[in-house]
Amino acid sequence: MDLSLSSSLSKPCHTLSLSFSSISSSFSHKTNSLQLLPSSSNLGSKCRIFLINPLLSRQKDHKIRAAQSSNQTDDDGFVLEDVPHLTNFLPNLQSYPNPLQKSQAYAIVKQTFVSPEDVVAQKIVVQKDSPRGVHFRRAGPQEKVYFKSDDVRACIVTCGGLCPGINTVIRELVCSLNSMYDVDDILGIEGGYRGFYSKNTLNLTPKVVNDIHKRGGTFLRTSRGGHDTNKIVDNIQDRGINQVYIIGGDGTQKGAALIYKEVERRGLQVAVAGIPKTIDNDIAVIDKSFGFDTAVEEAQRAINAAHVEVESVENGVGIVKLMGRYSGFIAMYATLASRDVDCCLIPESPFYLEGQGGLFEFIEHRLKENGHVVIVLAEGAGQEYIDAALHTVGEKDASGNRLLLDNGLWLSQKVKDHFTKVQKMPINMKYIDPTYMIRAIPSNASDNIYCTLLAHSAVHGAMAGYTGFTVGPVNSRHAYIPISHVTEAQNTVKLTDRMWARLLASTNQPSFLSYDPVIREKSDREILEVINDTKNSSI
């Protein structure tokens, strides 16, 4: 089946066309780059064809760029951020037909297997003359697998904090391994990374995990830290484990990358697959993290409770603290969904309390206008004020995350003191912190479906021999992503994007930028840099 993509460029008849099956015989298993072939006679003298080598495009830096012909100087800018494969360091590894070929469930599927040449574009909106940009390998079942079902011994581990949907991922990993690939030997590693070398394991079967998706938390228990690469890989090797599924956030995924590197160094046939987990939605590249929709939905209950409380009293001030250590996505989306919030404060956007355009002035204005005010506060917002006031030194937890002080209690007290002592205006303060209620609930229907797709993609990738990868949707298409690509930077709210502008328009809150005359003179492209500099300076 041919897959083609063409787009007109400003130069005459410069048509880019990807054609795979029609020219599959041209692939070379010894070539690690895109090949530029002579143009076909029916495409015209100025047309080009690019090929992607399906398996051996895996370079050490996982990047492939289109090669230039000797008589052309332009490059369409195609980059494939590929993931490692077991054959990179085990070149003689035998492959087998995928058991899904005989699956009754997949018998009616028009195209059971994804093509090795299928890729997913990271950037979906492009201009006709712009580079094609970064792409990732499409996730899904492959026609060939590199494990016999009877030889597979898989393990699953969960690390870090809680998040809605973890149990759903565990359940679907077990069920998809069993139902799609006839794998019966699946171990659950209890208590996070420490469980590998403290011998805490249990046997997982579809019956054991049948209803765990209805519960919050993690069926396998979790912990922070405890990562000892050599001990973990020693245990993997001693137990004969050859597929490792690791569910966790940024620090956990970095640990998964170290495990893969050690497995590669030892030359073990072990596939390491990461499934990114963070309730804050701060994992880079992927569209969103699992549990995020559930968190936003549950946050509405707290915001609604705060709104009911403050509109029932005179001068009611409600503060709802939501999760968001470095990224304010939950606070932003909960505010947009609620319509009852007057002001949203997130870590990415600094704010100030006193003076013209400050938070105190805004609260006073809303109290006089509406008789009440609701403020949503991400847990990382305003931490620089607390640090400056208490002269604290940033301590970290076992996962390397900075330990934050309770900015909700701090802001509540500041507002109380200002209006009772300075403004001589009595207020009724209501402070709600639903953090652990949101973390501990089961995932909703949307997240349950999402978790199922994540688990299936991870299993398909591991069985196909990919390793050192994580999975997630990129532009609504699931893809395999190098772990390093999702851990090199955190996803944060971009203050110059339309979503934050929508929030400001919805709440009519101040942008808290006018106090700095330097910012007034900056263009939109420079605002974020100025804000970051402001946050890093002492206050």
Side-chain angles (χ1 to χ4, degrees):
M1 179 177 180
D2 289 345
L3 174 64
S4 63
L5 171 67
S6 63
S7 59
S8 298
L9 300 180
S10 57
K11 296 181 181 180
C13 195
H14 272 183
T15 302
L16 300 181
S17 175
L18 265 76
S19 179
F20 298 116
S21 58
S22 63
I23 46 179
S24 60
S25 61
S26 300
F27 286 125
S28 169
H29 291 286
K30 297 183 179 179
T31 303
N32 286 332
S33 64
L34 292 177
Q35 302 171 15
L36 184 61
L37 297 186
S39 55
S40 173
S41 59
N42 64 337
L43 293 175
S45 59
K46 293 186 178 181
C47 297
R48 300 178 296 170
I49 299 174
F50 288 92
L51 302 182
I52 303 175
N53 189 316
L55 294 177
L56 294 172
S57 57
R58 309 180 192 98
Q59 296 179 338
K60 289 185 179 179
D61 63 352
H62 312 309
K63 292 188 178 183
I64 299 178
R65 297 188 179 275
Q68 296 182 358
S69 65
S70 57
N71 61 348
Q72 290 180 313
T73 58
D74 59 326
D75 186 340
D76 76 339
F78 180 95
V79 179
L80 177 62
E81 291 279 357
D82 208 355
V83 295
H85 194 271
L86 291 174
T87 55
N88 288 3
F89 56 93
L90 297 171
N92 298 321
L93 199 61
Q94 185 177 354
S95 64
Y96 310 93
N98 194 317
L100 289 179
Q101 291 178 351
K102 300 178 181 179
S103 170
Q104 184 177 357
Y106 278 80
I108 60 173
V109 177
K110 185 176 181 181
Q111 187 174 350
T112 301
F113 305 112
V114 300
S115 168
E117 293 87 20
D118 286 354
V119 294
V120 178
Q122 182 175 14
K123 189 176 181 182
I124 196 170
V125 178
V126 297
Q127 291 73 44
K128 67 176 184 178
D129 293 328
S130 63
R132 291 179 58 200
V134 173
H135 295 71
F136 301 101
R137 187 173 291 278
R138 183 186 174 192
Q142 302 274 329
E143 192 170 1
K144 296 292 184 181
V145 297
Y146 286 81
F147 294 93
K148 283 185 175 180
S149 300
D150 293 340
D151 295 337
V152 173
R153 167 168 270 200
C155 75
I156 304 169
V157 63
T158 60
C159 307
L162 296 183
C163 172
I166 297 176
N167 281 336
T168 305
V169 176
I170 296 170
R171 182 190 188 278
E172 293 309 315
L173 285 171
V174 174
C175 291
S176 58
L177 278 166
N178 183 266
S179 63
M180 291 192 290
Y181 290 100
D182 299 321
V183 174
D184 296 321
D185 195 354
I186 308 169
L187 297 177
I189 307 297
E190 296 184 290
Y193 277 134
R194 290 186 181 89
F196 275 103
Y197 49 86
S198 59
K199 307 298 182 182
N200 296 330
T201 62
L202 56 93
N203 293 319
L204 301 178
T205 65
K207 185 175 182 179
V208 170
V209 301
N210 181 54
D211 63 350
I212 64 172
H213 62 291
K214 300 176 183 178
R215 314 176 207 168
T218 166
F219 177 72
L220 296 177
R221 296 188 291 115
T222 186
S223 67
R224 296 189 182 275
H227 186 278
D228 187 315
T229 305
N230 286 324
K231 284 185 178 180
I232 291 171
V233 178
D234 285 345
N235 189 267
I236 290 172
Q237 193 170 2
D238 291 344
R239 293 186 180 184
I241 295 170
N242 51 22
Q243 289 186 11
V244 182
Y245 298 93
I246 301 173
I247 306 169
D250 180 76
T252 302
Q253 297 304 314
K254 289 178 180 177
L258 294 176
I259 293 172
Y260 151 67
K261 287 294 184 183
E262 181 61 18
V263 164
E264 181 184 38
R265 190 188 69 80
R266 299 188 188 188
L268 305 178
Q269 186 185 348
V270 177
V272 180
I275 300 174
K277 170 201 67 67
T278 168
I279 201 169
D280 291 344
N281 197 38
D282 58 0
I283 294 288
V285 181
I286 64 175
D287 296 344
K288 66 179 177 180
S289 53
F290 75 81
F292 178 72
D293 283 351
T294 305
V296 171
E297 185 176 303
E298 187 67 14
Q300 300 302 293
R301 302 178 189 273
I303 294 172
N304 182 63
H307 184 252
V308 170
E309 287 282 348
V310 298
E311 71 174 356
S312 301
V313 296
E314 183 181 3
N315 291 335
V317 178
I319 296 178
V320 180
K321 188 179 85 168
L322 299 176
M323 286 157 292
R325 182 180 296 272
Y326 305 111
S327 304
F329 287 104
I330 291 179
M332 180 174 71
Y333 277 81
T335 295
L336 283 168
S338 171
R339 312 296 178 184
D340 289 330
V341 178
D342 296 281
C343 185
C344 176
L345 304 174
I346 62 175
E348 295 89 337
S349 180
F351 65 93
Y352 58 104
L353 301 177
E354 301 175 351
Q356 184 178 0
L359 183 61
F360 290 158
E361 182 184 77
F362 176 74
I363 293 174
E364 182 179 358
H365 173 74
R366 282 295 167 94
L367 288 176
K368 291 178 180 178
E369 183 181 44
N370 300 329
H372 63 270
V373 62
V374 175
I375 299 170
V376 166
L377 177 71
E379 62 180 325
Q383 289 291 329
E384 62 271 21
Y385 286 100
I386 307 176
D387 290 341
L390 301 179
H391 305 288
T392 57
V393 178
E395 297 181 8
K396 296 184 178 181
D397 62 18
S399 295
N401 298 314
R402 179 186 170 198
L403 290 173
L404 302 181
L405 298 173
D406 194 331
N407 60 346
L409 291 174
W410 168 81
L411 183 60
S412 299
Q413 192 60 49
K414 282 289 185 181
V415 173
K416 277 185 191 177
D417 291 345
H418 176 79
F419 283 94
T420 57
K421 297 177 182 178
V422 179
Q423 295 297 107
K424 307 298 182 182
M425 179 181 179
I427 62 171
N428 283 287
M429 175 64 67
K430 308 294 181 181
Y431 173 52
I432 298 176
D433 181 359
T435 299
Y436 293 102
M437 294 173 61
I438 292 174
R439 282 165 41 125
I441 64 173
S443 52
N444 63 12
S446 174
D447 272 322
N448 270 336
I449 296 171
Y450 178 25
C451 291
T452 300
L453 297 179
L454 285 174
H456 287 191
S457 295
V459 168
H460 291 317
M463 290 297 297
Y466 296 115
T467 183
F469 69 91
T470 189
V471 297
V474 179
N475 292 321
S476 301
R477 292 290 185 269
H478 282 248
Y480 298 134
I481 308 163
I483 293 177
S484 59
H485 210 76
V486 299
T487 58
E488 62 189 6
Q490 285 183 311
N491 188 29
T492 57
V493 174
K494 294 178 176 59
L495 302 184
T496 51
D497 278 2
R498 291 190 183 91
M499 190 59 77
W500 184 245
R502 293 184 184 110
L503 181 140
L504 295 178
S506 173
T507 61
N508 288 317
Q509 70 185 65
S511 62
F512 301 109
L513 299 180
S514 59
Y515 77 105
D516 191 338
V518 176
I519 291 181
R520 289 197 201 123
E521 301 174 1
K522 298 289 182 179
S523 67
D524 287 346
R525 289 176 298 177
E526 299 171 300
I527 286 178
L528 189 57
E529 182 178 349
V530 174
I531 289 173
N532 288 335
D533 291 342
T534 303
K535 283 180 67 65
N536 291 331
S537 64
S538 59
I539 298 178

